[in-house]
Amino acid sequence: MKTEDDIRQAVETMRRGGVILYPTDTVWGIGCDATNYEAVAKVYKIKQRDDSKAMICLVDSDARLQRYVRNVPDVAWDIMELATKPTTVILDNANNLAENLVAEDGSIAMRITREEFSRQLCYRFQKPIVSTSANISGQPAAQNYRDIAPEIINAVDYVCWSRRQEHQPHRPSSIIRLTQDGIVTIIRE
């Protein structure tokens, strides 16, 4: 399958409120429209995860990030620009996202993806995409497609074809928490 067709089918699935399985800039992820409450609820159910545990969203650009987080601190731009590996930033003042995706304190974990497939997927979808590891909560993250449990594959509405044959080590992103008052906390290196 051509990459363009794979992306088109994944986008169509998410526009219908479906859940996808896709390769990201880190590990394989379970994704959906980050603005759709019901779709986000499906992801929590697939992961067997309590919805009080927030999930990461991917976007394709600085401009898209700013549509979903009010008042991004300057230090966040510096961190994302200078990061040498995929880095997720937890930011205050989430906006226009599904309520069950936003943490109780109003924060959201966002990452601007630079990897070609996930970047194109985000660009074509034109909204943030949930990006939580393709595993049951508490189990190891799926580094490659072959690592994904059959119950995860069978639970989603569309499985992307791109990068299924890949067999190389991948790691989850670094996670940094930034508050409006300038406090920086490293959650995961």
Side-chain angles (χ1 to χ4, degrees):
M1 174 181 281
K2 290 183 179 177
T3 301
E4 307 90 63
D5 295 331
D6 199 15
I7 289 172
R8 183 182 45 74
Q9 289 190 24
V11 166
E12 287 174 7
T13 300
M14 289 187 291
R15 285 192 178 134
R16 291 190 310 266
V19 176
I20 65 169
L21 195 56
Y22 69 112
T24 75
D25 54 340
T26 59
V27 297
W28 270 73
I30 300 171
C32 70
D33 178 350
T35 68
N36 183 320
Y37 185 95
E38 291 80 18
V40 171
K42 289 180 197 173
V43 173
Y44 281 118
K45 185 176 180 183
I46 291 168
K47 291 224 14 128
Q48 299 175 23
R49 185 176 185 172
D50 180 18
D51 68 4
S52 67
K53 291 190 168 196
M55 294 186 285
I56 294 170
C57 294
L58 287 186
V59 292
D60 63 314
S61 66
D62 296 358
R64 186 117 33 236
L65 174 68
Q66 288 179 298
R67 291 181 198 162
Y68 297 94
V69 177
R70 280 188 233 97
N71 305 318
V72 177
D74 289 340
V75 69
W77 302 120
D78 294 339
I79 288 170
M80 290 183 283
E81 184 179 318
L82 298 172
T84 57
K85 66 179 193 170
T87 301
T88 300
V89 181
I90 300 172
L91 299 163
D92 291 334
N93 301 313
N95 189 34
N96 301 318
L97 295 166
E99 289 176 23
N100 54 344
L101 187 59
V102 178
E104 288 181 15
D105 65 0
S107 66
I108 188 69
M110 301 286 277
R111 183 167 74 249
I112 300 171
T113 181
R114 311 248 187 262
E115 181 271 331
E116 189 59 23
F117 182 84
S118 56
R119 189 181 64 73
Q120 280 298 317
L121 183 64
C122 291
Y123 174 75
R124 299 259 177 88
F125 189 57
Q126 297 286 299
K127 295 184 203 174
I129 299 173
V130 167
S131 181
T132 184
S133 56
N135 61 315
I136 302 297
S137 191
Q139 300 296 315
Q143 293 184 37
N144 296 286
Y145 177 76
R146 68 179 180 176
D147 303 324
I148 303 169
E151 63 261 35
I152 298 287
I153 294 170
N154 294 329
V156 301
D157 301 300
Y158 181 74
V159 181
C160 290
W161 288 93
S162 298
R163 293 180 40 205
R164 281 196 193 183
Q165 302 305 316
E166 191 174 88
H167 299 295
Q168 48 186 290
H170 293 279
R171 296 178 42 101
S173 68
S174 297
I175 301 176
I176 297 173
R177 171 81 163 103
L178 300 175
T179 61
Q180 284 299 118
D181 53 359
I183 298 172
V184 178
T185 307
I186 296 173
I187 307 293
R188 179 172 68 200
E189 285 191 52

